[in-house]
Each structure stands twice: as C-alpha cells, then as structure tokens.
Amino acid sequence: MTTVAITPMNEQQHTGQTPKTLGLNLVWDKAEKAKVKSVLAKYPKGRERSATIPLLKLAQDKCGGWLPVDAMQLVADTVNEPYIRVYEVATFYTMFNLKPVGKFHVQVCTNCACLIRGSDGVTKAVKDIAGVDSSGATSKDGTFTFTEVECLGACVAAPMMQIGTHYFTHLTEEKTKDILNHLKEGGDPLKYADTPNAASDPLHNGDYEEHV
Amino acid sequence: MPKQTVPILKQEEKVFQNLEGQDDWSLAGYKKRGGYKGLKKLLTTDRIKHIEKMKESALRGRGGAGFPTGMKWSFMPDPAKTGKPSYLVCNADEGEPGTCKDRDILRYDPHTLVEGMIIGCYTLAAKTGYIYVRGEYYDESSRLQQAINEAYEAGFLGKNIQGTGVDVDIHVHLGAGAYICGEETALLESLEGKKGQPRLKPPFPAGYGLYGCPTTINNVETIAQVPPILKNKLEWWTQHGRPNNHGTKIFSISGSVNRPINVEAPMSIPLKELIETYAEGVIGGWKNLQAVIPGGSSTPMLNKGEAGKVLMDFDGLREYGTGLGTAAVIVMNQDVDVLRVMTRISAFYKHESCGQCTPCREGVGWVYTLMKRLSNGEGTVEELEQLQKLTKKIEGHTICAFADGAMWPVQGTLRCFKDEFERRIEAKEEVA
Ligand code: FES
C-alpha cells in the first residue's frame, strides 16, 4: 500500500476541478495492475463500468482509506468513463471516504437492535478513547475516526461495530475500550473480532489483506 | 449458561444445517451433510420440470416481498429465442435493520448458496451468476469466495459441470454501503457501476435486467432453499407452514430477548412460541413485553396483545396489517424507549433515500424531523396529525417501495403509541 501524502493540492479536492486540470496523475503499480485485471475479468467485454465500485475500493486502499480526486480519475481511466461518472458513484455510497480517515475507522451501529442492546455505551467509549465528540471526527493524533453507521447486519450480536473489515460484536462500554486500546497498542484485531478467517480476497480473489 | 435450543426442526428437515457454525463450513463438511448429492441428476433433468416443482412448493421469496419464486422464474424467456444471455443475480445486500440471516449463511454455510446458484443458473438457462454482497460483509465474502473456489476445484462450477454439458460461472460483486441497493433494480444499476437508483418498472428484470438482458434476482436464503426443495419429495417442504406459506425460514430474533439468535424454524410458528422457544423469552418475561417489529424495520410493529396471537407467515402477519418482510423479529420490552427507537429508524430512512423521487427525498426527512420533535415531547397535537397525513402523502407516490417501507413503521407507531406521543406533548406543556 502506498500512502498518498495529503498535500495542499489534494486538500482542495472536490472543488469542481477535475484532477486532469489539477495536473494530478496517479497510476496502479504492478501488483495492483494484476488485481485490476482480475476484477475486470468478472464482467463481460464492454461492461468495464461494472468494476467501478470494486476498483474504487482498491483505489481507496491504495490511498490509505480515502479517495483523493486523482484516485477517482485513475478509476475513471481504468473503466473508460468520464471522471464525473466515478465521482457520482463515490459520493453515493457511504463506504467511500472523500476525506482522510484515521488509522482505525471505527464504525458503530446505532440502529434499532444495537440501540436497544446498548450502543449508547459503545458510542461513549469510542468518543472517550478517541477524544472526539461527533460522528465523522478523527482523533487529534490521527489514530481513530469515529462514524455512526446504519445496521451492519449483525443484529443478533448487538451492539456491534466494524473496524476495517472486521466485526466486533456483543460489545459493552468496557469491552469497546479494551478493543480500542488493544488496537492502539498494535494488537491483532482478530483477538476480538467476530469474523470468519479470511483467506482469499473477494474483490480480486488473490491473497487476503488487512484493510483500513 | 444458555439453555440448549429446543430442536423443533430435526437436522434433516433444515436447509441450513450449519447456521450456527458448530460444524465445518467447507466443501468437505457440506458434502458430509449431504450437499452436492444429486446435483448431476438435477443438471440433467428438464429445467422446466424444476420450475414446475418450485411452483408446487409455493416457495415465496425470502428477501422481503414474498413473491412466489416459481412464478418469478417462469417469467424468464428462453435464451435461444432472445439471442441474449440470461443472468441469475443473488441479492446478498442485506441491510434491512434487524436482519442478519444472510451473514450467517455466507460465513457458516456458504455452499448452500453456491449449490443453489448452480442449480438456479441451470434452471434459468443462465451461464453466469453474480452474487451482490453488501460491501461491509468483506470477511464474509472472503469465506464465500473460498467456497466458490472449492466448488470450481471440485468440478461443480465452470465448464461442463460433472460431465453434464452445463456451464456455470459465479462471481462475487461487493457493494459499498447503500441500503437502496437491496431493491432489485437499484441493485442492477449498482452492479453496472452506477449510483443505486431504482429503475421504473416495467420493464421488469426478466425482460430487461442486467445489461438489458433477462435477469432474475433472488435473495440468498431463497436461492439456497432451491436445491433441497428440488431434491426431496414435495412433502419434505410442504409439511411445514400453512398453504401458500410453506417451508422453513430463518428468523433473526434481536432486541430485548434473553438469547438473540438466527434460527431456522417452521413457517407459521406462533410469534410467542418462536420467541420463547428459541430466544429464551423476553427479558423480564412476556408480561414485560411492550412491542415487536415482526419482519425488519419496514414492517409496522405489533403490540403485546397482537404479538401473543399472531402466526409468523406472510398471510398471518398481513391479517394484523403488517408483514413477514425479512422475518427479522425485533423485540422491545418495557425498558425500551420505543419512540426513540422508531425515531432512529426514521433517521435511517432519511439517510438512505436515494434522492430520486421528490416525495421520498423531501418527505422522509420531514417525517424524521416530526418524529424527533414528537418523541422528545417538543411537538404539538397538530403536528401529530400532520405526521399521520404526511405518511399517507408519501406512501405509494414513488417509483420503488422504499418510501412505503419508511412510512409503515411510522404509521405502526402512531397506531400503537399515539397515547404515548400525547403524553409527552402534555408533559412538556405542563413544564412550560
Ligand atoms: S441494528 Fe446494529 S447491526 Fe443491525
């Protein structure tokens, strides 16, 4: 994963200018090219546009968890669509971040089943540890971004949160704190995660990698 | 220690024998449970016979709408006549709040879905199937991908499956977080790489679906139920549930119960029995029950009296003005602030509206604002009436069922808890 530095040019993203006019130019590296190829192979010839969402995910991973304008341009070029077609997709779906996120993007479900089972405590724990007070905020040191999200489909194990690709379920305020501290200290998320042991990557069917 | 689940269904009566993940999920485990047995025979039987049997089984779609699967399948034209490829698309964009059954199928029993896709593709004369999984289920999709890889290696997928001459390829496609993509035409748009905004129907997907080709979209659970229905005698399926509601179903029981659980149970089971048998009852006992949402957030709630009587199937719930939906049972006892929960559900719909139709884009936000004011006791009696009227102006005035699903729970709340709204308005007035 290459981390794209947040330069002033990137910060003035999404101002209506396309990356081409900004003179930005991001490319897939060799390993990524192989992944792109196997993503595209899932769809019929001439239907490359279908790969927009999976490729945006690859691009987001490449950029450390968010989508600067040049990442979207890269996807647009890959699927032979104008920039706007990719931009409108990136803004439509909640899993695409148009702003940088922290090292751990903590997404807490506060929908019905989680609310009933105590998501207030989970939210409080995340806010306390991250030192933030609202959804969408990132801790000062850049470690955690806290986002309130909709039902993530683990309601019988409520309350729950997602960090990276992993689900953490049956939470309490205490357990949430333990998990976040554990991650902050560099601990293995799988110690707490309620998640299948992943082996092959569902995007491109290559080796599985940890995601932001 | 949690008590042992009462085994109402014997193992051999279940479609999902490994739903709780107690056993091996992989190909070896699935085969031991009888999986892929008889696949070859099914792939060499006239596919029209399969559609007939699906009709006889009266299987109704498990994704929410309850449309008869056999009938849906019979709408698919013959590719020899259309000259276009046909597609089977599996809807695994599980997002209806309260619903979490597909996640457990994907991670604990993924081969049930893979085998269903193989037989489904054959029956619909489709050579390619896509499984559209919600993007958050990344690790679960990884498990599914492993299962698909295993099936390829074993010769259950790919070219000339088991020497039958049938070709089927399956691809996993991940979404990226949009509830509306669970609507079938929005799902197709999304699969084509666009914003997930529903299409106007007709044309229906069977005529003009993915890439403009004939397409059938079915829920994960529905597709996984196909192989055992086709392999067994009809009675194996119809012994459960009332006529027109046959079979078994996964119920996701969450909220104020002692043991929240995903469980496969017979259709038409009384709601009370379902909760008490499998979820070890309401926290604080049945007397402590306040309300139940019977089929995911879009279905209007039932009060305690109704919950004690209703049968859990499509027709049983309709009698009470609600629906089976995804069979996600959300239980709320006396400790729960029901109005807060329902306001949160309204916030969800506001967030998830795709923005295409004005009544929905604007109206759902207004409904949320009113719900919030009223449940905080900030509203007025006039607003309470306004809210009721507003829901009627939105319901039925959009191109997809999203707005209806956003209004029904509000109407249900007004029906069951109007006095609570009024109490809060009065309490506020007194303070003032
Ligand atoms: S309500 Fe939180 S995961 Fe479903």
Side-chain angles (χ1 to χ4, degrees):
Chain A
M1 187 202 295
T2 32
T3 311
V4 173
I6 307 162
T7 61
M9 189 169 276
N10 271 352
E11 268 177 1
Q12 48 142 314
Q13 20 122 14
H14 319 307
T15 49
Q17 300 181 72
T18 67
K20 291 229 159 120
T21 56
L22 293 169
L24 301 177
N25 186 24
L26 193 68
V27 289
W28 301 114
D29 66 26
K30 199 168 158 231
E32 288 157 357
K33 272 191 185 144
K35 293 177 193 168
V36 169
K37 202 173 153 204
S38 46
V39 171
L40 288 169
K42 294 183 181 187
Y43 312 99
K45 272 241 140 22
R47 302 291 181 182
E48 288 75 17
R49 189 176 175 188
S50 274
T52 303
I53 290 176
L55 293 183
L56 278 171
K57 271 186 215 271
L58 282 184
Q60 180 159 293
D61 281 343
K62 178 183 174 69
C63 301
W66 72 293
L67 288 168
V69 277
D70 42 352
M72 291 185 274
Q73 180 70 55
L74 174 61
V75 172
D77 291 343
T78 312
V79 299
N80 291 321
E81 289 290 332
Y83 174 75
I84 182 66
R85 291 276 165 262
V86 172
Y87 178 67
E88 67 181 8
V89 167
T91 55
F92 187 84
Y93 296 91
T94 49
M95 286 174 69
F96 296 123
N97 304 312
L98 300 184
K99 281 192 326 219
V101 291
K103 184 165 173 217
F104 301 104
H105 188 189
V106 185
Q107 312 195 50
V108 181
C109 170
T110 56
N111 212 313
C112 48
C114 289
L115 179 58
I116 295 170
R117 303 284 301 194
S119 59
D120 284 350
V122 180
T123 307
K124 183 171 177 295
V126 178
K127 285 180 175 172
D128 284 355
I129 299 256
V132 299
D133 55 12
S134 64
S135 176
T138 301
S139 59
K140 277 210 186 73
D141 61 358
T143 309
F144 297 109
T145 296
F146 159 62
T147 311
E148 250 186 73
V149 294
E150 300 302 347
C151 173
L152 289 174
C155 326
V156 298
M160 61 81 64
M161 63 181 173
Q162 179 168 28
I163 303 174
T165 57
H166 307 311
Y167 278 24
F168 298 85
T169 58
H170 297 290
L171 297 175
T172 57
E173 193 175 328
E174 276 315 299
K175 190 173 164 191
T176 308
K177 286 190 175 159
D178 290 347
I179 295 170
L180 297 188
N181 285 326
H182 173 77
L183 292 175
K184 197 173 175 176
E185 284 152 19
D188 181 2
L190 294 179
K191 178 174 173 208
Y192 288 98
D194 170 18
T195 209
N197 262 335
S200 87
D201 195 292
L203 278 186
H204 49 75
N205 205 5
D207 286 343
Y208 181 88
E209 295 152 20
E210 283 289 333
H211 297 262
V212 183
Chain B
M1 262 312 275
K3 272 184 279 170
Q4 195 55 43
T5 312
V6 182
I8 287 191
L9 285 179
K10 292 193 215 83
Q11 196 67 346
E12 62 271 20
E13 291 176 313
K14 290 186 186 171
V15 175
F16 306 98
Q17 296 183 9
N18 196 35
L19 190 64
E20 290 186 54
Q22 71 285 7
D23 203 0
D24 176 11
W25 64 270
S26 75
L27 182 68
Y30 182 62
K31 275 176 121 176
K32 235 182 251 156
R33 294 189 290 274
Y36 293 112
K37 210 157 118 203
L39 176 67
K40 195 169 169 178
K41 187 159 167 244
L42 290 181
L43 296 183
T44 46
T45 307
D46 182 5
R47 58 189 194 87
I48 303 302
K49 283 213 177 102
H50 291 337
I51 294 182
E52 287 310 316
K53 182 137 182 213
M54 291 313 296
K55 281 188 180 163
E56 284 166 37
S57 77
L59 170 64
R60 291 168 72 175
R62 297 321 199 202
F67 193 82
T69 307
M71 198 195 293
K72 196 183 218 180
W73 284 17
S74 70
F75 297 151
M76 286 290 277
D78 188 347
K81 289 191 187 125
T82 59
K84 287 182 185 172
S86 294
Y87 292 104
L88 172 60
V89 176
C90 172
N91 184 346
D93 190 48
E94 179 168 69
E96 173 89 355
T99 317
C100 48
K101 63 192 178 66
D102 298 343
R103 174 169 183 254
D104 281 356
I105 299 175
L106 296 178
R107 61 181 181 152
Y108 293 142
D109 225 348
H111 279 284
T112 57
L113 173 61
V114 176
E115 189 177 7
M117 287 295 290
I118 299 166
I119 296 171
C121 281
Y122 164 69
T123 306
L124 300 170
K127 290 197 187 311
T128 310
Y130 288 98
I131 304 176
Y132 184 108
V133 191
R134 69 178 295 179
E136 291 89 344
Y137 288 175
Y138 203 93
D139 292 348
E140 292 73 11
S141 308
S142 167
R143 175 66 53 89
L144 173 66
Q145 185 66 58
Q146 281 171 262
I148 291 173
N149 294 349
E150 284 184 330
Y152 269 106
E153 270 161 42
F156 294 131
L157 275 172
K159 292 251 172 299
N160 192 15
I161 297 169
Q162 305 281 290
T164 57
V166 176
D167 305 338
V168 174
D169 283 307
I170 302 178
H171 305 290
V172 175
H173 178 100
L174 285 178
Y179 169 70
I180 192 61
C181 293
E183 198 280 340
E184 60 176 12
T185 58
L187 186 148
L188 294 178
E189 289 287 297
S190 179
L191 184 49
E192 291 182 3
K194 304 171 194 162
K195 290 183 286 181
Q197 292 187 319
R199 298 174 182 172
L200 199 57
K201 293 193 266 192
F204 292 95
Y208 191 94
L210 183 64
Y211 310 130
C213 300
T215 304
T216 290
I217 301 111
N218 287 120
N219 175 257
V220 175
E221 190 182 353
T222 314
I223 293 178
Q225 283 168 334
V226 171
I229 291 176
L230 293 181
K231 287 177 188 177
N232 286 292
K233 287 211 172 68
L234 193 59
E235 298 71 53
W236 178 83
W237 182 250
T238 55
Q239 64 177 315
H240 304 295
R242 301 187 291 177
N244 206 25
N245 294 279
H246 286 311
T248 62
K249 173 84 192 77
I250 301 176
F251 295 90
S252 311
I253 312 169
S254 67
S256 323
V257 290
N258 288 311
R259 188 182 176 220
I261 191 174
N262 270 323
V263 67
E264 182 174 353
M267 283 284 273
S268 312
I269 183 173
L271 176 58
K272 188 172 180 199
E273 192 183 329
L274 181 74
I275 293 173
E276 301 205 319
T277 309
Y278 293 107
E280 292 177 13
V282 178
I283 296 176
W286 189 263
K287 61 177 187 321
N288 200 28
L289 180 67
Q290 205 176 174
V292 179
I293 300 174
S297 64
S298 301
T299 58
M301 62 170 75
L302 297 165
N303 62 31
K304 183 179 158 197
E306 295 162 338
K309 286 182 285 192
V310 72
L311 298 186
M312 290 300 283
D313 62 25
F314 295 104
D315 298 332
L317 284 155
R318 224 190 28 219
E319 278 168 38
Y320 286 88
T322 179
L324 183 64
T326 55
V329 178
I330 305 160
V331 178
M332 294 182 272
N333 72 3
Q334 298 287 348
D335 302 331
V336 175
D337 179 349
V338 173
L339 300 191
R340 183 177 172 209
V341 172
M342 299 316 290
T343 303
R344 180 63 186 80
I345 288 178
S346 285
F348 162 77
Y349 287 104
K350 172 178 184 261
H351 179 247
E352 297 295 339
S353 172
C354 83
Q356 192 170 212
C357 311
T358 313
C360 177
R361 182 184 62 242
E362 304 296 324
V364 175
W366 278 106
V367 165
Y368 164 63
T369 308
L370 284 173
M371 280 292 282
K372 193 165 146 197
R373 283 176 55 78
L374 287 161
S375 60
N376 288 341
E378 288 158 359
T380 61
V381 182
E382 293 76 49
E383 283 178 9
L384 196 56
E385 273 163 34
Q386 239 177 16
L387 178 60
Q388 177 76 36
K389 278 193 210 143
L390 192 55
T391 66
K392 291 287 176 199
K393 293 222 161 98
I394 298 169
E395 182 192 353
H397 292 92
T398 53
I399 73 171
C400 83
F402 175 94
D404 306 349
M407 294 305 110
W408 294 332
V410 177
Q411 291 164 356
T413 316
L414 288 169
R415 187 177 68 82
C416 295
F417 288 94
K418 186 140 187 248
D419 51 342
E420 177 60 21
F421 276 120
E422 286 164 352
R423 202 190 57 72
R424 291 192 191 186
I425 294 168
E426 268 166 38
K428 199 73 170 192
E429 276 168 2
E430 269 162 33
V431 175

